Coordinates of all heavy atoms in Angstrom, one line a residue:
M1 N 44.1 100.0 -47.8 CA 43.5 100.7 -46.7 C 42.2 101.6 -47.3 O 42.5 102.3 -48.2 CB 44.5 101.6 -46.0 CG 44.0 102.4 -44.8 SD 45.2 103.4 -44.1 CE 44.8 103.0 -42.3
Y2 N 41.3 101.5 -46.5 CA 40.1 102.4 -46.9 C 39.4 102.9 -45.6 O 39.6 102.4 -44.5 CB 39.1 101.6 -47.8 CG 38.3 100.5 -47.1 CD1 37.1 100.8 -46.5 CD2 38.8 99.2 -47.1 CE1 36.3 99.8 -45.9 CE2 38.1 98.3 -46.4 CZ 36.8 98.5 -46.0 OH 36.1 97.5 -45.3
A3 N 38.6 103.8 -45.8 CA 37.8 104.5 -44.7 C 36.5 104.8 -45.2 O 36.2 105.1 -46.4 CB 38.5 105.7 -44.3
V4 N 35.5 104.9 -44.2 CA 34.2 105.4 -44.5 C 34.1 106.7 -43.7 O 34.1 106.7 -42.5 CB 33.1 104.3 -43.9 CG1 31.7 105.0 -44.2 CG2 33.3 103.1 -44.7
M5 N 33.9 107.7 -44.5 CA 33.8 109.2 -43.9 C 32.4 109.8 -44.1 O 31.6 109.2 -45.0 CB 34.8 110.0 -44.5 CG 34.6 110.4 -45.9 SD 35.9 111.5 -46.5 CE 35.1 112.1 -47.9
E6 N 32.1 110.7 -43.3 CA 30.8 111.4 -43.5 C 31.0 112.9 -43.7 O 31.8 113.5 -43.0 CB 30.0 111.2 -42.1 CG 28.7 111.9 -42.0 CD 28.0 111.6 -40.7 OE1 28.1 110.5 -40.1 OE2 27.4 112.6 -40.2
T7 N 30.3 113.4 -44.6 CA 30.4 114.8 -44.8 C 29.1 115.2 -45.6 O 28.6 114.5 -46.6 CB 31.7 115.2 -45.7 OG1 31.6 116.7 -45.9 CG2 31.7 114.5 -47.0
G8 N 28.6 116.3 -45.3 CA 27.3 116.8 -45.9 C 26.1 115.8 -45.7 O 25.2 115.9 -46.4
G9 N 26.2 115.2 -44.5 CA 25.0 114.2 -44.3 C 25.1 112.9 -45.0 O 24.0 112.2 -45.0
K10 N 26.2 112.7 -45.8 CA 26.2 111.4 -46.5 C 27.5 110.7 -46.2 O 28.5 111.4 -45.6 CB 26.2 111.8 -48.1 CG 25.0 112.3 -48.5 CD 25.1 112.6 -50.0 CE 23.8 113.2 -50.5 NZ 23.7 114.7 -50.3
Q11 N 27.6 109.4 -46.4 CA 28.7 108.6 -46.1 C 29.4 108.2 -47.4 O 28.7 107.8 -48.3 CB 28.4 107.4 -45.1 CG 27.9 107.9 -43.8 CD 27.6 106.6 -42.9 OE1 27.6 105.5 -43.4 NE2 27.3 107.0 -41.7
Y12 N 30.7 108.2 -47.4 CA 31.5 107.8 -48.5 C 32.6 106.8 -48.2 O 33.2 106.9 -47.1 CB 32.1 109.0 -49.2 CG 31.2 110.1 -49.7 CD1 30.9 111.2 -48.8 CD2 30.6 110.1 -50.9 CE1 30.0 112.2 -49.1 CE2 29.8 111.0 -51.3 CZ 29.4 112.1 -50.5 OH 28.6 113.1 -50.8
R13 N 32.8 105.7 -49.0 CA 33.8 104.7 -48.8 C 35.0 105.3 -49.7 O 34.8 105.3 -51.0 CB 33.4 103.4 -49.2 CG 34.5 102.4 -48.9 CD 34.0 101.0 -49.6 NE 35.0 99.9 -49.3 CZ 36.0 99.6 -50.1 NH1 36.2 100.3 -51.2 NH2 36.8 98.6 -49.8
V14 N 36.1 105.6 -49.1 CA 37.2 106.2 -50.0 C 38.4 105.4 -49.7 O 38.8 104.8 -48.6 CB 37.4 107.7 -49.5 CG1 36.2 108.5 -49.8 CG2 37.7 107.9 -48.1
Q15 N 39.4 105.5 -50.7 CA 40.7 104.9 -50.7 C 41.6 106.1 -51.1 O 41.1 107.1 -51.7 CB 40.8 103.8 -51.6 CG 40.1 102.5 -51.2 CD 40.3 101.4 -52.2 OE1 40.6 101.6 -53.2 NE2 40.0 100.2 -51.7
V16 N 42.9 106.0 -50.9 CA 43.9 106.9 -51.4 C 43.8 106.9 -53.0 O 43.9 106.0 -53.6 CB 45.3 106.6 -50.8 CG1 46.3 107.6 -51.4 CG2 45.3 106.6 -49.3
G17 N 43.7 108.2 -53.4 CA 43.7 108.4 -54.8 C 42.3 108.6 -55.5 O 42.2 108.9 -56.6
D18 N 41.2 108.3 -54.7 CA 39.9 108.5 -55.2 C 39.5 109.8 -55.4 O 40.0 110.8 -54.7 CB 38.8 107.8 -54.2 CG 38.9 106.4 -54.1 OD1 39.6 105.7 -55.1 OD2 38.2 105.8 -53.3
V19 N 38.8 110.1 -56.4 CA 38.2 111.5 -56.7 C 36.7 111.4 -56.6 O 36.0 110.6 -57.2 CB 38.5 111.9 -58.1 CG1 37.9 113.2 -58.4 CG2 40.0 112.0 -58.3
I20 N 36.1 112.1 -55.6 CA 34.7 112.0 -55.3 C 34.0 113.4 -55.4 O 34.8 114.4 -55.2 CB 34.5 111.4 -54.0 CG1 35.1 112.1 -52.8 CG2 34.9 109.9 -54.0 CD1 34.7 111.7 -51.4
F21 N 32.8 113.5 -55.5 CA 32.0 114.7 -55.5 C 31.2 114.6 -54.2 O 30.4 113.7 -53.9 CB 31.0 114.7 -56.7 CG 31.7 114.8 -58.0 CD1 32.1 113.7 -58.8 CD2 31.9 116.1 -58.5 CE1 32.6 113.8 -60.0 CE2 32.6 116.1 -59.7 CZ 32.9 115.1 -60.5
V22 N 31.4 115.7 -53.4 CA 30.7 115.8 -52.1 C 29.9 117.1 -52.0 O 30.0 117.9 -53.0 CB 31.8 115.7 -50.9 CG1 32.6 114.5 -50.8 CG2 32.7 117.0 -51.0
E23 N 29.0 117.2 -51.0 CA 28.3 118.5 -50.9 C 29.2 119.6 -50.8 O 30.3 119.4 -50.2 CB 27.3 118.4 -49.7 CG 26.3 117.3 -49.8 CD 25.3 117.6 -50.8 OE1 24.8 118.8 -51.0 OE2 24.9 116.7 -51.6
K24 N 28.8 120.8 -51.2 CA 29.7 121.9 -51.3 C 30.4 122.2 -49.9 O 29.7 122.3 -48.8 CB 28.9 123.2 -51.7 CG 29.8 124.4 -51.9 CD 29.0 125.5 -52.6 CE 29.7 126.8 -52.7 NZ 31.2 126.8 -52.8
L25 N 31.8 122.3 -50.0 CA 32.5 122.7 -48.8 C 32.9 124.2 -49.0 O 33.2 124.7 -50.1 CB 33.8 121.9 -48.8 CG 33.6 120.3 -48.6 CD1 34.9 119.6 -48.7 CD2 32.9 120.0 -47.3
D26 N 33.1 124.8 -47.8 CA 33.6 126.2 -47.9 C 35.1 126.4 -48.0 O 35.7 126.7 -47.0 CB 33.0 127.0 -46.7 CG 33.2 128.4 -46.7 OD1 33.3 129.1 -47.7 OD2 33.3 129.0 -45.6
C27 N 35.6 126.1 -49.2 CA 37.1 126.2 -49.4 C 37.3 126.4 -50.9 O 36.5 126.1 -51.7 CB 37.8 125.0 -48.9 SG 37.2 123.5 -49.5
E28 N 38.6 127.0 -51.1 CA 38.8 127.4 -52.6 C 39.4 126.1 -53.3 O 39.9 125.1 -52.6 CB 39.9 128.5 -52.5 CG 39.4 129.8 -51.9 CD 38.3 130.4 -52.8 OE1 38.3 130.3 -54.0 OE2 37.3 130.9 -52.2
A29 N 39.6 126.2 -54.5 CA 40.2 125.1 -55.4 C 41.6 125.2 -55.1 O 42.3 126.1 -54.7 CB 39.9 125.4 -56.8
D30 N 42.3 124.0 -55.2 CA 43.7 123.6 -55.0 C 44.1 123.9 -53.4 O 45.3 124.2 -53.1 CB 44.6 124.6 -55.8 CG 44.4 124.3 -57.4 OD1 44.1 123.1 -57.6 OD2 44.5 125.2 -58.1
S31 N 43.2 123.8 -52.6 CA 43.5 123.9 -51.2 C 43.3 122.6 -50.5 O 42.7 121.6 -51.1 CB 42.6 125.0 -50.4 OG 41.2 124.5 -50.6
K32 N 44.0 122.4 -49.4 CA 43.9 121.2 -48.6 C 42.7 121.3 -47.6 O 42.5 122.3 -47.0 CB 45.2 120.9 -47.8 CG 46.5 120.8 -48.7 CD 46.5 119.5 -49.4 CE 47.8 119.4 -50.2 NZ 47.9 118.2 -50.9
V33 N 42.1 120.1 -47.4 CA 41.0 120.1 -46.4 C 41.2 118.8 -45.6 O 41.6 117.8 -46.1 CB 39.6 120.2 -47.1 CG1 39.4 119.0 -48.0 CG2 38.5 120.3 -46.1
T34 N 40.9 118.9 -44.3 CA 41.0 117.6 -43.4 C 39.5 117.4 -42.9 O 38.8 118.1 -42.4 CB 41.9 118.0 -42.2 OG1 43.1 118.3 -42.7 CG2 41.9 116.8 -41.3
L35 N 39.1 116.1 -43.2 CA 37.8 115.7 -42.9 C 38.0 114.7 -41.7 O 38.7 113.6 -41.8 CB 37.2 114.9 -44.0 CG 37.1 115.8 -45.3 CD1 36.8 114.9 -46.6 CD2 36.0 116.8 -45.1
D36 N 37.4 115.1 -40.5 CA 37.7 114.2 -39.3 C 36.4 113.4 -38.8 O 36.5 112.8 -37.8 CB 38.1 115.1 -38.2 CG 37.2 116.3 -37.9 OD1 36.2 116.4 -38.7 OD2 37.4 117.0 -37.0
K37 N 35.3 113.4 -39.6 CA 34.2 112.6 -39.2 C 34.3 111.2 -39.9 O 33.8 110.9 -40.9 CB 32.9 113.3 -39.6 CG 32.5 114.5 -38.8 CD 31.2 115.0 -39.1 CE 30.9 116.2 -38.2 NZ 29.5 116.6 -38.4
I38 N 35.2 110.4 -39.3 CA 35.5 109.1 -39.9 C 34.6 108.0 -39.1 O 34.9 107.9 -37.9 CB 37.0 108.7 -39.8 CG1 37.7 109.9 -40.4 CG2 37.3 107.4 -40.5 CD1 37.5 110.2 -41.8
V39 N 33.9 107.2 -39.9 CA 32.9 106.3 -39.1 C 33.7 105.0 -39.0 O 33.5 104.2 -38.0 CB 31.6 106.1 -40.0 CG1 30.8 105.0 -39.4 CG2 30.9 107.4 -40.1
M40 N 34.6 104.5 -40.0 CA 35.2 103.3 -39.9 C 36.5 103.4 -40.7 O 36.6 104.2 -41.8 CB 34.3 102.2 -40.6 CG 35.0 100.9 -40.4 SD 34.1 99.5 -41.3 CE 34.7 99.7 -42.9
V41 N 37.6 102.7 -40.2 CA 38.8 102.7 -40.8 C 39.3 101.2 -41.0 O 39.3 100.5 -39.9 CB 40.0 103.5 -40.1 CG1 41.3 103.4 -40.7 CG2 39.6 104.9 -40.0
S42 N 39.7 100.8 -42.2 CA 40.1 99.4 -42.4 C 41.6 99.5 -42.8 O 41.9 100.2 -43.8 CB 39.3 98.7 -43.4 OG 39.8 97.4 -43.6
G43 N 42.4 98.8 -42.2 CA 43.9 98.7 -42.6 C 44.5 97.4 -42.4 O 43.8 96.3 -42.3
D44 N 45.8 97.4 -42.3 CA 46.5 96.1 -42.2 C 46.3 95.5 -40.8 O 46.3 94.3 -40.6 CB 48.0 96.4 -42.3 CG 48.4 96.8 -43.8 OD1 47.5 96.5 -44.7 OD2 49.4 97.5 -43.9
D45 N 46.1 96.4 -39.8 CA 45.9 95.8 -38.3 C 44.4 95.6 -38.0 O 44.1 95.3 -36.9 CB 46.4 96.8 -37.4 CG 45.8 98.3 -37.5 OD1 45.2 98.5 -38.6 OD2 46.0 99.1 -36.7
G46 N 43.6 95.5 -39.0 CA 42.1 95.2 -38.8 C 41.2 96.4 -39.1 O 41.6 97.4 -39.7
V47 N 40.0 96.3 -38.6 CA 38.9 97.3 -38.7 C 38.7 98.0 -37.4 O 38.6 97.4 -36.4 CB 37.7 96.5 -39.3 CG1 36.5 97.6 -39.4 CG2 37.9 95.9 -40.6
K48 N 38.6 99.3 -37.5 CA 38.3 100.2 -36.4 C 36.9 100.8 -36.6 O 36.8 101.5 -37.7 CB 39.3 101.3 -36.1 CG 40.6 100.7 -35.6 CD 41.6 101.9 -35.4 CE 43.0 101.6 -35.4 NZ 43.9 102.7 -35.4
V49 N 35.9 100.6 -35.8 CA 34.6 101.1 -35.9 C 34.4 102.2 -34.9 O 34.7 101.8 -33.7 CB 33.6 100.1 -36.0 CG1 32.2 100.7 -36.1 CG2 33.8 99.1 -37.0
G50 N 33.9 103.3 -35.2 CA 33.7 104.4 -34.1 C 32.3 104.3 -33.6 O 31.4 103.5 -34.1
A51 N 32.2 105.0 -32.5 CA 30.9 105.0 -31.8 C 30.6 106.6 -31.4 O 30.9 107.0 -30.3 CB 30.9 104.1 -30.7
P52 N 30.2 107.5 -32.3 CA 29.9 107.2 -33.7 C 31.1 107.5 -34.6 O 31.1 107.1 -35.7 CB 28.8 108.4 -33.9 CG 29.2 109.5 -33.0 CD 29.8 108.8 -31.8
Y53 N 32.2 108.2 -34.1 CA 33.4 108.4 -35.0 C 34.6 107.7 -34.2 O 34.7 107.7 -33.1 CB 33.5 109.9 -35.1 CG 32.3 110.6 -35.7 CD1 31.7 111.6 -35.1 CD2 31.9 110.3 -37.0 CE1 30.5 112.3 -35.6 CE2 30.8 110.8 -37.6 CZ 30.1 111.8 -36.9 OH 29.0 112.5 -37.4
V54 N 35.6 107.5 -35.2 CA 36.9 106.9 -34.7 C 37.7 108.0 -34.2 O 37.9 109.0 -34.8 CB 37.5 106.2 -35.9 CG1 38.9 105.7 -35.4 CG2 36.7 105.1 -36.4
D55 N 38.2 107.9 -33.0 CA 39.0 108.9 -32.4 C 40.4 109.0 -33.0 O 41.0 107.9 -33.2 CB 39.2 108.6 -30.8 CG 37.9 108.8 -30.0 OD1 37.1 109.6 -30.5 OD2 37.8 108.0 -29.0
G56 N 40.8 110.2 -33.4 CA 42.2 110.4 -34.0 C 42.3 110.1 -35.4 O 43.3 110.2 -36.0
A57 N 41.2 109.7 -36.0 CA 41.2 109.3 -37.5 C 40.9 110.6 -38.3 O 40.0 111.3 -37.9 CB 40.3 108.1 -37.8
S58 N 41.5 110.6 -39.5 CA 41.2 111.7 -40.3 C 41.5 111.4 -41.7 O 42.2 110.5 -42.0 CB 41.9 113.1 -39.9 OG 43.2 112.8 -40.1
V59 N 40.9 112.1 -42.7 CA 41.2 112.0 -44.1 C 41.6 113.3 -44.6 O 40.9 114.4 -44.4 CB 40.0 111.4 -44.9 CG1 40.2 111.5 -46.4 CG2 39.7 110.1 -44.5
E60 N 42.8 113.4 -45.3 CA 43.2 114.6 -45.9 C 43.0 114.6 -47.4 O 43.3 113.6 -48.0 CB 44.8 114.9 -45.6 CG 45.0 115.1 -44.1 CD 46.5 115.2 -43.8 OE1 47.2 115.3 -44.8 OE2 46.9 115.2 -42.7
A61 N 42.4 115.7 -48.0 CA 42.1 115.7 -49.3 C 42.4 117.1 -50.0 O 42.6 118.0 -49.3 CB 40.6 115.4 -49.5
T62 N 42.5 117.0 -51.3 CA 42.8 118.3 -52.0 C 41.5 118.6 -52.7 O 41.0 117.8 -53.4 CB 43.9 118.0 -53.0 OG1 45.1 117.6 -52.3 CG2 44.3 119.3 -53.7
V63 N 41.1 119.9 -52.7 CA 39.9 120.4 -53.5 C 40.3 120.6 -54.9 O 41.3 121.4 -55.1 CB 39.4 121.7 -52.8 CG1 38.2 122.2 -53.6 CG2 39.0 121.4 -51.4
L64 N 39.7 119.9 -55.7 CA 40.0 120.1 -57.2 C 39.2 121.2 -57.8 O 39.7 122.0 -58.5 CB 39.8 118.8 -58.0 CG 40.6 117.7 -57.6 CD1 40.2 116.4 -58.3 CD2 42.0 117.9 -57.7
K65 N 37.9 121.3 -57.6 CA 37.1 122.4 -58.1 C 35.6 122.5 -57.4 O 35.3 121.4 -56.7 CB 36.8 122.3 -59.6 CG 35.9 121.1 -60.0 CD 35.7 121.2 -61.5 CE 34.7 120.2 -61.8 NZ 34.3 120.2 -63.2
N66 N 35.2 123.6 -57.5 CA 33.7 123.8 -57.0 C 32.9 124.0 -58.2 O 33.3 124.6 -59.1 CB 33.6 125.0 -55.9 CG 34.3 124.7 -54.8 OD1 34.2 123.7 -54.1 ND2 35.1 125.7 -54.2
G67 N 31.6 123.5 -58.2 CA 30.8 123.7 -59.3 C 29.4 123.4 -59.0 O 29.0 123.2 -57.9
K68 N 28.6 123.3 -60.0 CA 27.2 123.0 -59.9 C 26.9 121.8 -60.8 O 27.5 121.7 -62.1 CB 26.3 124.2 -60.3 CG 26.3 125.3 -59.4 CD 25.3 126.3 -59.8 CE 25.2 127.4 -58.9 NZ 24.2 128.5 -59.3
S69 N 25.9 120.9 -60.4 CA 25.6 119.7 -61.2 C 24.6 120.2 -62.3 O 24.3 121.3 -62.5 CB 25.1 118.7 -60.4 OG 23.9 119.2 -59.7
K70 N 24.2 119.3 -63.1 CA 23.3 119.5 -64.2 C 22.0 120.0 -63.6 O 21.6 119.6 -62.5 CB 23.0 118.2 -65.0 CG 24.2 117.9 -65.9 CD 24.0 116.6 -66.6 CE 23.9 117.0 -68.1 NZ 23.7 115.8 -68.9
K71 N 21.2 120.8 -64.5 CA 19.9 121.3 -64.0 C 18.9 120.2 -64.0 O 18.8 119.5 -65.1 CB 19.5 122.5 -64.8 CG 18.1 123.1 -64.4 CD 17.8 124.3 -65.3 CE 18.4 125.5 -64.6 NZ 17.8 126.7 -65.2
I72 N 18.1 120.2 -63.0 CA 16.9 119.2 -63.0 C 15.6 120.1 -62.9 O 15.7 121.3 -62.4 CB 16.8 118.3 -61.8 CG1 16.7 119.1 -60.5 CG2 18.1 117.3 -61.8 CD1 16.4 118.2 -59.3
T73 N 14.6 119.7 -63.6 CA 13.3 120.4 -63.6 C 12.4 119.8 -62.6 O 12.1 118.6 -62.6 CB 12.7 120.2 -65.1 OG1 13.7 120.8 -66.0 CG2 11.4 121.1 -65.1
V74 N 11.8 120.7 -61.8 CA 10.8 120.3 -60.8 C 9.5 121.0 -61.1 O 9.5 122.2 -61.3 CB 11.2 120.9 -59.4 CG1 10.3 120.5 -58.3 CG2 12.7 120.4 -59.0
F75 N 8.5 120.1 -61.4 CA 7.2 120.6 -61.9 C 6.2 120.0 -61.0 O 6.0 118.8 -60.8 CB 7.0 120.1 -63.3 CG 5.8 120.7 -63.9 CD1 5.7 121.9 -64.4 CD2 4.5 119.9 -64.0 CE1 4.6 122.5 -65.0 CE2 3.4 120.5 -64.6 CZ 3.5 121.7 -65.1
T76 N 5.4 120.8 -60.3 CA 4.3 120.5 -59.5 C 3.0 121.0 -60.1 O 3.0 122.1 -60.6 CB 4.5 121.0 -58.0 OG1 4.6 122.4 -58.1 CG2 5.8 120.4 -57.4
Y77 N 1.9 120.2 -59.8 CA 0.7 120.7 -60.3 C -0.4 120.1 -59.4 O -0.2 119.0 -58.8 CB 0.4 120.5 -61.8 CG 0.0 119.0 -62.1 CD1 -1.3 118.7 -62.4 CD2 1.0 118.0 -62.2 CE1 -1.7 117.4 -62.7 CE2 0.7 116.7 -62.4 CZ -0.7 116.4 -62.7 OH -1.0 115.2 -63.0
K78 N -1.6 120.7 -59.5 CA -2.9 120.1 -58.8 C -3.9 120.0 -59.9 O -4.2 121.0 -60.5 CB -3.3 120.9 -57.6 CG -2.3 121.0 -56.6 CD -2.8 121.7 -55.3 CE -1.7 121.6 -54.2 NZ -2.1 122.4 -53.1
S79 N -4.3 118.8 -60.1 CA -5.3 118.5 -61.2 C -6.6 119.3 -61.0 O -7.0 119.4 -59.8 CB -5.4 117.0 -61.5 OG -6.1 116.5 -60.2
K80 N -7.2 119.8 -62.0 CA -8.5 120.4 -62.0 C -8.6 121.7 -61.3 O -9.6 122.2 -61.0 CB -9.5 119.4 -61.4 CG -9.7 118.1 -62.1 CD -10.7 117.2 -61.5 CE -10.5 115.9 -62.1 NZ -10.4 114.9 -60.9
K81 N -7.4 122.2 -60.8 CA -7.4 123.5 -60.1 C -6.6 124.6 -60.9 O -6.5 125.7 -60.3 CB -6.6 123.2 -58.7 CG -7.2 122.1 -57.8 CD -8.6 122.5 -57.4 CE -9.2 121.5 -56.5 NZ -10.6 121.5 -56.4
N82 N -6.1 124.3 -62.0 CA -5.3 125.3 -62.8 C -4.2 125.8 -61.9 O -3.9 127.0 -62.0 CB -6.2 126.3 -63.4 CG -5.5 127.2 -64.5 OD1 -4.6 126.6 -65.0 ND2 -6.0 128.3 -64.8
E83 N -3.6 125.0 -61.2 CA -2.4 125.4 -60.3 C -1.2 124.5 -60.8 O -1.2 123.4 -60.7 CB -2.7 125.2 -58.8 CG -1.6 125.6 -57.9 CD -2.1 125.5 -56.5 OE1 -3.3 125.4 -56.2 OE2 -1.2 125.3 -55.6
K84 N -0.2 125.3 -61.2 CA 1.1 124.6 -61.6 C 2.2 125.5 -61.4 O 2.0 126.7 -61.4 CB 1.0 124.1 -63.1 CG 0.8 125.3 -64.0 CD 0.5 124.8 -65.4 CE 0.1 125.9 -66.3 NZ -0.5 125.5 -67.5
R85 N 3.4 124.9 -61.2 CA 4.7 125.6 -60.9 C 5.8 124.8 -61.5 O 5.9 123.6 -61.2 CB 4.9 125.8 -59.4 CG 6.1 126.6 -59.1 CD 6.1 126.9 -57.7 NE 6.3 125.6 -56.9 CZ 6.4 125.6 -55.6 NH1 6.3 126.7 -54.9 NH2 6.6 124.4 -55.0
K86 N 6.7 125.5 -62.3 CA 7.8 124.9 -62.8 C 9.1 125.6 -62.3 O 9.2 126.8 -62.5 CB 7.8 125.0 -64.4 CG 8.9 124.3 -65.1 CD 8.8 124.4 -66.6 CE 9.9 123.7 -67.3 NZ 9.9 123.9 -68.7
M87 N 10.0 124.9 -61.8 CA 11.2 125.4 -61.2 C 12.4 124.5 -61.7 O 12.3 123.4 -62.1 CB 11.2 125.4 -59.7 CG 10.2 126.3 -59.1 SD 10.3 126.2 -57.3 CE 10.2 124.6 -56.9
G88 N 13.6 125.1 -61.7 CA 14.7 124.4 -61.9 C 15.7 124.4 -60.6 O 15.6 125.3 -59.9
H89 N 16.6 123.4 -60.6 CA 17.6 123.4 -59.5 C 18.9 122.9 -60.0 O 18.9 121.9 -60.7 CB 16.9 122.5 -58.4 CG 17.9 122.3 -57.2 ND1 18.1 123.3 -56.3 CD2 18.7 121.2 -56.8 CE1 19.0 122.9 -55.4 NE2 19.3 121.6 -55.7
R90 N 19.9 123.4 -59.4 CA 21.3 123.0 -59.7 C 22.0 122.8 -58.4 O 22.2 123.8 -57.7 CB 22.1 124.0 -60.6 CG 21.5 124.0 -62.1 CD 22.4 124.9 -62.9 NE 23.7 124.4 -63.1 CZ 24.6 124.9 -63.7 NH1 24.6 126.2 -64.1 NH2 25.8 124.3 -64.0
Q91 N 22.4 121.6 -58.0 CA 22.9 121.4 -56.7 C 24.4 121.7 -56.8 O 25.2 121.2 -57.6 CB 22.7 119.9 -56.4 CG 23.3 119.5 -55.0 CD 22.4 120.1 -53.9 OE1 21.2 120.3 -54.1 NE2 23.0 120.3 -52.7
P92 N 24.9 122.5 -55.9 CA 26.3 122.8 -55.8 C 27.1 121.6 -55.2 O 26.7 120.9 -54.4 CB 26.6 124.0 -54.9 CG 25.3 124.0 -54.1 CD 24.2 123.3 -54.8
Y93 N 28.4 121.4 -55.7 CA 29.3 120.3 -55.2 C 30.6 120.7 -55.1 O 31.0 121.9 -55.6 CB 29.2 119.0 -56.1 CG 29.7 119.4 -57.6 CD1 31.1 119.2 -57.8 CD2 28.9 119.7 -58.6 CE1 31.6 119.4 -59.1 CE2 29.5 120.0 -59.9 CZ 30.8 119.8 -60.1 OH 31.3 120.0 -61.3
T94 N 31.5 120.0 -54.5 CA 33.0 120.2 -54.5 C 33.6 118.8 -54.9 O 33.2 117.8 -54.3 CB 33.4 120.5 -53.0 OG1 32.8 121.8 -52.6 CG2 34.9 120.7 -52.9
Q95 N 34.6 118.8 -55.8 CA 35.2 117.6 -56.2 C 36.5 117.6 -55.5 O 37.3 118.6 -55.4 CB 35.5 117.7 -57.7 CG 36.2 116.5 -58.4 CD 36.4 116.6 -59.7 OE1 36.4 117.7 -60.3 NE2 36.6 115.5 -60.4
V96 N 36.8 116.5 -54.8 CA 38.0 116.4 -53.9 C 38.7 115.1 -54.4 O 38.1 114.1 -54.8 CB 37.7 116.3 -52.4 CG1 37.1 117.7 -52.0 CG2 36.8 115.2 -52.0
R97 N 40.1 115.1 -54.1 CA 40.9 113.9 -54.4 C 41.5 113.5 -53.0 O 42.0 114.3 -52.2 CB 42.0 114.2 -55.3 CG 43.0 113.0 -55.6 CD 44.1 113.2 -56.6 NE 44.9 114.3 -56.0 CZ 45.2 115.5 -56.6 NH1 44.7 115.8 -57.9 NH2 46.0 116.4 -56.1
I98 N 41.4 112.2 -52.6 CA 41.8 111.7 -51.3 C 43.3 111.5 -51.4 O 43.8 110.8 -52.2 CB 41.1 110.4 -50.8 CG1 39.6 110.6 -51.0 CG2 41.5 110.0 -49.6 CD1 39.0 111.7 -50.1
D99 N 44.0 112.2 -50.5 CA 45.5 112.2 -50.4 C 45.9 111.1 -49.5 O 46.7 110.2 -49.8 CB 46.1 113.6 -50.1 CG 45.8 114.5 -51.2 OD1 45.7 114.1 -52.4 OD2 45.7 115.7 -50.8
T100 N 45.6 111.2 -48.2 CA 46.0 110.3 -47.1 C 44.8 110.0 -46.2 O 43.9 110.7 -46.0 CB 47.1 110.9 -46.3 OG1 46.7 112.0 -45.6 CG2 48.4 111.2 -47.1
I101 N 45.0 108.8 -45.6 CA 44.1 108.3 -44.6 C 44.8 108.1 -43.4 O 45.7 107.2 -43.3 CB 43.3 107.0 -45.0 CG1 42.5 107.4 -46.4 CG2 42.4 106.6 -43.9 CD1 41.8 106.1 -46.9
N102 N 44.6 108.8 -42.3 CA 45.3 108.7 -41.0 C 44.3 107.9 -40.0 O 43.2 108.4 -39.7 CB 45.6 110.0 -40.4 CG 46.4 110.8 -41.3 OD1 47.4 110.2 -42.0 ND2 46.2 112.1 -41.5
G103 N 44.7 106.7 -39.6 CA 43.8 105.9 -38.8 C 44.5 105.5 -37.6 O 44.0 104.7 -36.8

């Protein structure tokens, strides 16, 4: 059984036991979170596709940790104008483990 869920503006295909990195959620480590924006659920009885979401479907997950990804360097410049800017960015994330899929 698998599901396609939406969180943080992105869609993820998940199964029970998967560990994924999603956009930062407002919850502490070792807490449970319920994600209810389920786009599609596939199981033994077939495939259910939502319009836009499947009614009554949800995914329960455990938050493993919150953190920041590796730093990327953003460098912009305009040639012949002596204009340049160097910045860094670290995207925050939440690591979750999928416990159950209710479809």
Side-chain angles (χ1 to χ4, degrees):
M1 176 178 229
Y2 70 91
V4 176
M5 66 175 201
E6 180 180 321
T7 180
K10 298 179 178 74
Q11 293 180 353
Y12 301 92
R13 181 187 185 272
V14 295
Q15 293 179 342
V16 174
D18 285 352
V19 176
I20 60 171
F21 293 91
V22 298
E23 295 294 316
K24 184 165 173 35
L25 300 174
D26 188 26
C27 52
E28 298 294 324
D30 297 327
S31 64
K32 302 282 184 181
V33 64
T34 302
L35 305 165
D36 57 352
K37 290 186 175 182
I38 308 301
V39 179
M40 186 185 86
V41 176
S42 174
D44 297 333
D45 56 346
V47 176
K48 293 182 200 170
V49 179
Y53 303 117
V54 179
D55 292 331
S58 64
V59 171
E60 295 178 7
T62 303
V63 175
L64 299 178
K65 70 175 186 174
N66 292 313
K68 289 184 177 182
S69 59
K70 294 179 104 175
K71 181 179 270 192
I72 63 166
T73 303
V74 181
F75 187 79
T76 61
Y77 79 102
K78 294 186 179 176
S79 62
K80 302 180 199 128
K81 303 295 183 201
N82 196 19
E83 183 177 332
K84 58 189 172 197
R85 183 174 65 177
K86 181 179 180 181
M87 296 184 303
H89 177 73
R90 292 184 70 188
Q91 184 69 27
Y93 67 84
T94 300
Q95 184 180 17
V96 297
R97 181 181 60 235
I98 306 301
D99 296 330
T100 59
I101 297 173
N102 304 320

